[in-house]
Amino acid sequence: MSTNLANLLYLIPIAAFILALHFLSNPAQARRGNQIGAFGMLVAIVVTWIKVGATSWWAIAIGMAIGGGFGAVAARRVKMTAMPQMVALFNGVGGGAAALIALGELHRILPEAGRPKIDISLAIALSALIGSISFSGSMVAFAKLQELIRGRPITYPGQQLANLLLLAACIACSVALVSGVQDEWLLWVVVGGGLLFGVLFVLPIGGADMPVVISLLNAFTGLAVAASGFELENNVMIVAGMLVGASGTLLTMLMGRAMNRSIGNVLFGAFGQVSEGAGAAAATDGGTVRSASADDVAVMLAYAHKVVFVPGYGLAVAQAQHDVRQLADLLEEKGVEVSYAIHPVAGRMPGHMNVLLAEANVPYPQLKEMDDANPEFSRTDVALIVGANDVVNPDARNNEGSPIYGMPILNVDQSQAVVVLKRSMNPGFAGIENPLFYNPKTVMLFGDAKESIDRLIEDVKAL
């Protein structure tokens, strides 16, 4: 296949990727967007397979079998609770692949052409550095989300200075590579330094900021893949990488805005490190925790005019999304108005709650984003919080000493009553205590979220 014909056919996956992003912006059309994106990738692989000819078709076939098989099995078997980990893992694999392409291209070019052109050298240096940072950083994010290492920030004295010096050394090696020092070992130093920097870069970031980190690392991977496209002179990789890089960057900025924090504060603020005294402060305000039985909560829900469900990561852990939908259907049969309030950073990855509730076929019009949900709490009889903590913490409005002060939250405390489904009084993933639990309007229904909702379903049916 000629290069011109291949580039012409590559327009199909390029158009498919753009359409996929368009459809993914709407939950009702997200499945179609995924299908279009997958079709575009299939076309890109087939065109590449034909283009390279018989010299490498078997290698591509083996790669497709291994990668496609692993992806299919993982996508079908992974639980919704592990979806953020899978996203981090797959994203890291993309960054690692870009770094390997850089190493392979330099190893191929040096014996054939000696010194590569400056634009190719720059692309090799960028994909190696950014890709290796994305790979190791995503692996650390995966480990934090999987709780293989603790979610709290892991810091050490002089960490920011050490990280800055390490990054500067990697950039200096990259500049030397681009400037004409075409020794292969120099690129290995860049990759090794990038891997170390990725680890040290993500370790000090608290678990509550993992959605932002995953989004940022996704942008890194996109940029690394785009740079790899310049190395291989592959238009699909360039366009796809820039689409991922641009969308990941915009999403990172939007999520930072949703938390009322700068990206610099997210990345370098060690958020969650200073939360040890928050619980004592809340408890000494004179408030007490009131627990309720499932019978009492069922009566509150069944005789309410409006109920708002507020999902959090605890809903994903308990795999209770289908039970929540069943409870909502029962309440609607009794004439109760039901909706779901979604905070932009609820869960552990961007859009986590939307994906979770979509799996349970919750009607899309009932999913209210924060800006649309907050005005409705003043006329809400019961706000039912299922596993959320930090996104409903009133300290974000009232306590200037809180690490989350200034972060927009769901104003559930403006409801007539608040019910919190929670296993215990332990703080959330960010490690910050929540004074909402001591509010006179609030009652706690302790236990596993799925079991608690099952009891509520039975009690509501009995009324």
Side-chain angles (χ1 to χ4, degrees), residues 51-200:
K51 180 183 175 183
V52 298
T55 55
S56 301
W57 71 266
W58 59 270
I60 296 177
I62 292 173
M64 288 176 61
I66 295 174
F70 178 81
V73 172
R76 287 186 172 277
R77 292 190 177 181
V78 68
K79 296 180 179 179
M80 279 303 303
T81 50
M83 191 63 70
Q85 292 93 303
M86 189 182 78
V87 170
L89 186 64
F90 283 5
N91 178 68
V93 169
L100 290 175
I101 288 173
L103 290 167
E105 277 300 289
L106 187 63
H107 181 76
R108 179 187 66 83
I109 292 173
L110 287 179
E112 293 180 2
R115 178 179 175 181
K117 297 178 181 179
I118 188 169
D119 57 337
I120 301 299
S121 296
L122 179 61
I124 287 174
L126 286 175
S127 61
L129 179 58
I130 300 175
S132 56
I133 291 174
S134 177
F135 173 76
S136 59
S138 296
M139 294 304 104
V140 175
F142 167 82
K144 286 197 172 216
L145 293 169
Q146 191 67 18
E147 299 182 359
L148 301 176
I149 59 178
R150 65 177 186 173
R152 298 283 184 89
I154 300 174
T155 60
Y156 55 89
Q159 66 174 31
Q160 294 188 7
L161 178 60
N163 288 356
L164 182 61
L165 292 175
L166 177 59
L167 181 60
C170 293
I171 293 175
C173 291
S174 300
V175 171
L177 188 69
V178 175
S179 301
V181 183
Q182 301 297 333
D183 291 327
E184 195 171 337
W185 67 266
L186 199 59
L187 189 61
W188 280 101
V189 171
V190 172
V191 171
L195 291 172
L196 179 59
F197 179 80
V199 173
L200 299 179

Side-chain angles (χ1 to χ4, degrees), residues 290-292 297 300 418-421 439-445:
R290 296 189 303 147
S291 62
V297 174
M300 294 171 61
V418 179
V419 178
V420 180
L421 273 60
N439 190 308
K441 293 182 179 180
T442 303
V443 295
M444 312 290 294
L445 181 57

Side-chain angles (χ1 to χ4, degrees), residues 128-437:
L129 179 58
I130 300 175
S132 56
I133 291 174
S134 177
F135 173 76
S136 59
S138 296
M139 294 304 104
V140 175
F142 167 82
K144 286 197 172 216
L145 293 169
Q146 191 67 18
E147 299 182 359
L148 301 176
I149 59 178
R150 65 177 186 173
R152 298 283 184 89
I154 300 174
T155 60
Y156 55 89
Q159 66 174 31
Q160 294 188 7
L161 178 60
N163 288 356
L164 182 61
L165 292 175
L166 177 59
L167 181 60
C170 293
I171 293 175
C173 291
S174 300
V175 171
L177 188 69
V178 175
S179 301
V181 183
Q182 301 297 333
D183 291 327
E184 195 171 337
W185 67 266
L186 199 59
L187 189 61
W188 280 101
V189 171
V190 172
V191 171
L195 291 172
L196 179 59
F197 179 80
V199 173
L200 299 179
F201 172 66
V202 178
L203 278 178
I205 301 175
D209 288 331
M210 279 302 110
V212 183
V213 174
I214 290 174
S215 179
L216 181 63
L217 292 173
N218 188 50
F220 283 3
T221 295
L223 294 176
V225 170
S228 297
F230 282 103
E231 299 164 31
L232 301 175
E233 298 181 347
N234 187 299
N235 293 334
V236 171
M237 292 182 67
I238 295 172
V239 174
M242 293 310 298
L243 286 173
V244 173
S247 58
T249 301
L250 288 173
L251 182 58
T252 302
M253 295 171 63
L254 289 172
M255 295 184 74
R257 188 181 305 166
M259 300 167 70
N260 195 36
R261 296 167 60 204
S262 67
I263 301 303
N265 179 261
V266 171
L267 300 180
F268 307 114
F271 178 76
Q273 187 180 19
V274 288
S275 58
E276 298 298 330
T284 55
D285 284 343
T288 57
V289 175
R290 296 189 303 147
S291 62
S293 67
D295 292 339
D296 296 332
V297 174
V299 171
M300 294 171 61
L301 296 174
Y303 294 100
H305 293 290
K306 180 175 176 59
V307 172
V308 176
F309 290 90
V310 182
Y313 186 67
L315 177 67
V317 172
Q319 287 285 285
Q321 61 270 29
H322 296 281
D323 304 85
V324 167
R325 168 69 193 277
Q326 185 180 353
L327 176 59
D329 289 344
L330 282 174
L331 295 177
E332 287 181 320
E333 290 175 4
K334 293 181 177 292
V336 181
E337 180 185 350
V338 174
S339 64
Y340 301 78
I342 311 296
H343 194 281
V345 294
R348 296 189 184 178
M349 73 175 184
H352 195 178
M353 295 300 103
N354 300 74
V355 174
L356 192 74
L357 295 172
E359 185 188 34
N361 295 317
V362 171
Y364 298 119
Q366 291 185 356
L367 302 181
K368 306 291 185 181
E369 299 298 331
M370 179 175 62
D371 291 340
D372 296 325
N374 273 340
E376 297 188 6
F377 282 115
S378 60
R379 66 180 190 89
T380 297
D381 295 300
V382 183
L384 185 65
I385 301 171
V386 189
N389 185 22
D390 308 312
V391 298
V392 295
N393 191 331
D395 269 355
R397 292 195 315 261
N398 309 325
N399 183 2
E400 294 186 8
S402 172
I404 62 172
Y405 180 72
M407 182 181 89
I409 61 168
L410 294 167
N411 299 324
V412 295
D413 54 341
Q414 296 178 3
S415 305
Q416 298 301 311
V418 179
V419 178
V420 180
L421 273 60
K422 195 170 170 61
R423 286 181 177 273
S424 67
M425 288 301 294
N426 290 332
F429 199 47
I432 301 172
E433 288 289 349
N434 192 343
L436 175 70
F437 303 156

